[in-house]
Structure formats: C-alpha cells, structure tokens
Amino acid sequence: MGYKVVKASAGTGKTYRLSIEYMNMLLQGKAPEEIVVITFTRKATAEIRAKIFSNIEKLMERGTAESDMIVESLVKIGNMSEKEEIFKIISRRRAEMLRRKDKIKITTIDSFINSIFSKIAAPASGLYSYEIIDDTLNREYLMNTLEKIVENRAYFSQFREFLEKYTERDIEKYLEWIGKILDFRWFFSIIENEPELKAVSESEISAEFEKFKERFMSFEEVSERESSKIFMAGQSEIFGKKLEEMSSNKKKKFITVDRFWKKEVFKKNPESGGLAEAMYGELKKKLADYIFNKEVYPLYNELKSIEKVVSEVYDNIKFKERKFTHSDIAYYTFDYFSRGEGEGKITAADLHFYEAIDSSVRAILIDEFQDTSVIQWKIVYPIVKNSETAVCVGDEKQSIYSFR
C-alpha cells in the first residue's frame, strides 16, 4: 500500500474514512497488534475505536445497505475486489480483536510518546517513576528556573542582557520567554546538525533578483500584457523595486506566495508557466537563505547561548522533582534518540524501540495530521519510515500550527 495522505475536512465523514483505512490494513495482512492509530484527544481515540468495531459489525451483517456500502468503500481504496475474501478476512480479524482488545493500539500522540519515554529514554537517564503535570502547574517550575538564573551571576548577566534587548521588564514576560525557549529548543538540536548555508552578499542576491525579473518579463505571455493583468494583488509594487529598496516584510511576502503572477498568464502555454515556476522557486530559495543568514542566524546564535543556560537550569530542576509536562516528555524523548543517532546508541528504528510499544509496527494511521508538531513528527517518523503502510489524515485549513 505504501504511504497515503488523505485530506478530510470536518463534516466529510473523516471518522468513517479512518475506520475504513484501518479495516483495509487488516485486509492487507496486518494483525491488529501491528497497526498503530495515533490521534490527538482521548475523545477522538474513543470515537475511532468505536467506529472501527461498529463498521466491522455492520460489514458482517451481509445484504444490508450499510454492509454493501462498507464493502464498496474497501474495494475502492484497497486492492481487494473479491467480496467473499473480504468477509472471510475481516471475520477472522474481528474474532482476534474481540479476544485481545488490549492489543489494539489506538492512542493519543501524548500517550504514545510517553510510552516510549517511560520504557526507553527515562530509564536510560536513571528515571523509573515520574508524574505528569499540566502547563498551569508547570508555571512554578518556570519561576524556579528564573530564580536559579537570577541567583547565578554569570547566568543572570547573560540572560538580563538578552531580555533587556527583546522584552520589557516584567516577571510574566520573563516567564513567557523562558517558556518559549523551552518549547522550541528542539529547533537548536535540529539546526546544529544542518550544513551551514553558503553566505550570499546583498549585491549577489540583488543581481540574481534583477536577472530573474528580466527573464520573467521576456516571456511572450508576460511582455504582451498590461501590468494589472500580470501580477497578483500587491505584487506589482514589490516586483517593480530593487531588492535593496524592499523592506524585510516585503521580501518575506515575495517568497511566501506560490506565485506572484495571475494564473491565467500562462494558461495557453503551461510549458512556459512551468519554467517560470521553476525559476521563481530557485530565486525564492536563494532569497530565503539570504534572509536567514542576515536576520535569523544572528538571533539564533544569541538564542542558542540563552537556551543552553535555561535548559541546564530547568532540566536539573525537572529531573530532581520528577514532574514533567507532555512537552517535556516529547523533548526528552526526541533528545534521547537524536543523541543516539550521533553516538551509536539506540535509535527509533532499532528492535528495542519496537519492544517499547510491544510489537513490530507494520502499519500506522495518524489522525489530525495537520496538528502534528515538528518534534512529534521527528519521534513518529522512524515508525512511518519503517512501516509497510502509513496513512495520514488531516485538514490543513484547521492547523493549530498555522505559521507552518
């Protein structure tokens, strides 16, 4: 079956589709204990579990309209068209599922990551028992972190200089910054392993920009049109300026759109449209690298030194108290496997990882995929990569991470 991404908005029968995908995995030879279903809420977990069992029961009521509809759905999305074989396999799997309900793996993303942390990452750190707390209770530990930093002159000098530069004098603002740094510290781990970007001077990127504009305007479909019939709203002004005349926001706006020209420009000549998109994609990449080097990287270096201070103090407090939020657990799990890859230790692809979740995973189904954070995806990806089948269901319009 391979990998599949299913776009399903609210009200489109998403839970039904999830249950059909699960049943299709059973038809492809996967045992219930070899399938992992990941959701984002306990409510969704209960709903999906109930829907799977409900649709299996409805399928077995041969001759009914609902049974026929489920068979049609399975035939449509799968590779099996023999109806008798569908009934035979599902009947056998149904008996297994009823007999061993504890082996059915339908869980929230937080619970799934916590199971990995408790069985692998935590024991490796000498941690065999701990308490999970919510963000409200965690405020106390953010305050303790701030107090410890203030008590240490070297830490406080560095931290105060940073805060005075980027925020007002206010305890709540300080705590907010500490929280943000901890929430995004996975970013520093990832970027440390990335190759350094080649430095591009402003004159070089400006020359590239002018060269691109000249080539774009040379397209026959463009040169013969009026400006108002070429550019999307607000883009002609940007396109008419030199790069050095553009504000930082204008530059970012230029590289964050799919295209700056109207769709109908290349309607009669898709080949030219494809070439324009390829040219634009290359320019956007170079401009993005330039903006990153000039604006993001200096801030990254500042934040990196502050992150080390905050993390050291916070982690010492957390492991001493043994009280963690789900965000803490996700980071420590991610950090453990990240370090393992570089040091030859256990990685998420190893046998031990599968022992932690009680079996080898042959198929994975992720609900609300648009709400998967980067760190959660980094932890789950090795399973997806090593699975025979992976189905991700979501709706990008509802993403809680809209900035992505």
Side-chain angles (χ1 to χ4, degrees):
M1 283 176 65
Y3 304 126
K4 184 192 297 184
V5 175
V6 179
K7 292 185 179 182
S9 303
T12 59
K14 186 186 68 168
T15 307
Y16 173 82
R17 177 60 185 264
L18 285 164
S19 69
I20 294 299
E21 291 288 353
Y22 186 94
M23 292 168 70
N24 191 47
M25 290 173 177
L26 296 176
L27 291 174
Q28 299 304 319
K30 279 77 174 178
E33 63 268 24
E34 295 173 328
I35 304 170
V36 172
V37 181
I38 295 176
T39 71
F40 275 79
T41 66
R42 292 179 182 177
K43 181 183 176 183
T45 298
E47 288 175 351
I48 292 169
R49 180 184 289 268
K51 196 67 172 179
I52 289 170
F53 276 100
S54 172
N55 279 342
I56 287 176
E57 294 303 321
K58 288 176 181 177
L59 173 70
M60 301 313 296
E61 296 173 0
R62 298 193 187 201
T64 64
E66 288 183 319
S67 177
D68 291 344
M69 183 180 74
I70 292 170
V71 169
E72 287 177 16
S73 296
L74 290 169
V75 170
K76 185 177 180 180
I77 70 168
N79 299 319
M80 190 172 294
S81 58
E82 185 59 50
K83 293 183 180 181
E84 281 303 316
E85 190 67 15
I86 290 175
F87 285 115
K88 180 181 176 181
I89 294 172
I90 294 297
S91 178
R92 187 176 74 250
R93 292 304 187 190
R94 171 182 174 272
E96 292 174 11
M97 292 168 71
L98 290 173
R99 190 171 60 249
R100 305 183 68 187
K101 286 187 177 182
D102 61 310
K103 292 297 182 181
I104 299 172
K105 297 182 175 67
I106 304 176
T107 179
T108 64
I109 185 74
D110 286 335
S111 294
F112 184 71
I113 292 174
N114 182 49
S115 70
I116 299 170
F117 177 72
S118 65
K119 294 175 182 177
I120 300 180
S125 302
L127 190 67
Y128 297 95
S129 64
Y130 56 89
E131 180 183 342
I132 297 177
I133 61 173
D134 61 23
D135 291 335
T136 302
L137 291 176
N138 200 52
R139 185 183 183 283
E140 175 187 341
Y141 297 98
L142 297 181
M143 180 63 80
N144 290 345
T145 300
L146 178 59
E147 289 171 355
K148 293 288 184 184
I149 290 173
V150 171
E151 289 170 6
N152 185 307
R153 286 189 177 182
Y155 285 168
F156 184 58
S157 175
Q158 186 178 2
F159 193 67
R160 183 177 61 184
E161 184 179 335
F162 175 82
L163 290 176
E164 287 178 349
K165 188 174 180 180
Y166 292 105
T167 190
E168 57 195 85
R169 278 191 172 188
D170 182 89
I171 292 295
E172 291 302 321
K173 292 290 185 183
Y174 293 171
L175 294 179
E176 185 181 335
W177 260 103
I178 290 174
K180 285 180 179 178
I181 289 169
L182 292 168
D183 283 344
F184 287 94
R185 54 181 169 163
W186 53 265
F187 172 78
F188 298 96
S189 300
I190 292 173
I191 206 168
E192 277 181 357
N193 297 321
E194 291 292 319
E196 285 192 25
L197 296 174
K198 180 183 177 182
V200 180
S201 68
E202 187 166 24
S203 60
E204 287 176 314
I205 196 66
S206 293
E208 288 281 348
F209 186 56
E210 293 304 312
K211 182 179 176 182
F212 167 79
K213 289 197 292 185
E214 185 179 335
R215 291 181 66 189
F216 180 78
M217 295 304 295
S218 69
F219 281 109
E220 187 176 323
E221 295 83 356
V222 176
S223 61
E224 295 178 353
R225 290 173 179 259
E226 296 177 13
S227 178
S228 61
K229 294 182 178 180
I230 299 172
F231 301 101
M232 302 280 279
Q235 291 292 338
S236 63
E237 179 190 352
I238 297 174
F239 196 80
K241 290 186 176 182
K242 290 185 177 295
L243 191 67
E244 53 268 29
E245 297 172 346
M246 292 165 58
S247 66
S248 179
N249 285 337
K250 292 287 187 183
K251 290 173 188 171
K252 291 171 186 174
K253 184 178 179 181
F254 185 74
I255 65 172
T256 52
V257 294
D258 292 333
R259 53 183 165 73
F260 57 84
W261 60 91
K262 294 181 177 180
K263 197 172 184 179
E264 58 267 24
V265 173
F266 295 106
K267 190 174 182 178
K268 293 182 179 179
N269 193 343
E271 187 175 338
S272 293
L275 180 57
E277 287 180 5
M279 288 164 46
Y280 183 45
E282 186 63 29
L283 177 70
K284 285 200 294 183
K285 185 180 182 305
K286 291 179 180 178
L287 190 52
D289 289 349
Y290 167 75
I291 292 172
F292 184 88
N293 275 323
K294 185 176 181 180
E295 299 181 21
V296 180
Y297 206 72
L299 177 59
Y300 159 74
N301 284 327
E302 275 190 277
L303 280 169
K304 183 179 177 182
S305 60
I306 296 299
E307 182 269 330
K308 285 184 177 179
V309 169
V310 171
S311 290
E312 181 180 336
V313 175
Y314 180 79
D315 292 344
N316 285 338
I317 294 171
K318 281 308 191 102
F319 276 88
K320 183 179 179 181
E321 296 293 327
R322 302 186 176 213
K323 294 183 179 180
F324 307 103
T325 64
H326 282 296
S327 294
D328 293 333
I329 289 169
Y331 173 74
Y332 296 136
T333 303
F334 160 76
D335 182 60
Y336 178 77
F337 288 130
S338 296
R339 285 185 285 109
E341 289 175 3
E343 298 171 9
K345 296 180 182 177
I346 177 176
T347 69
D350 289 331
L351 175 63
H352 298 288
F353 181 83
Y354 295 110
E355 288 177 352
I357 51 178
D358 300 324
S359 75
S360 176
V361 177
R362 294 179 61 200
I364 183 167
L365 201 163
I366 305 176
D367 183 26
E368 302 292 357
F369 185 63
Q370 77 280 354
D371 291 339
T372 308
S373 69
V374 174
I375 192 169
Q376 289 168 338
W377 176 242
K378 285 285 184 179
I379 295 168
V380 171
Y381 177 67
I383 309 173
V384 174
K385 184 179 178 183
N386 287 280
S387 296
E388 297 170 16
T389 305
V391 177
C392 301
V393 181
D395 177 13
E396 73 272 21
K397 295 175 185 175
Q398 296 185 35
S399 175
I400 60 175
Y401 297 100
S402 57
F403 60 85
R404 293 186 312 188

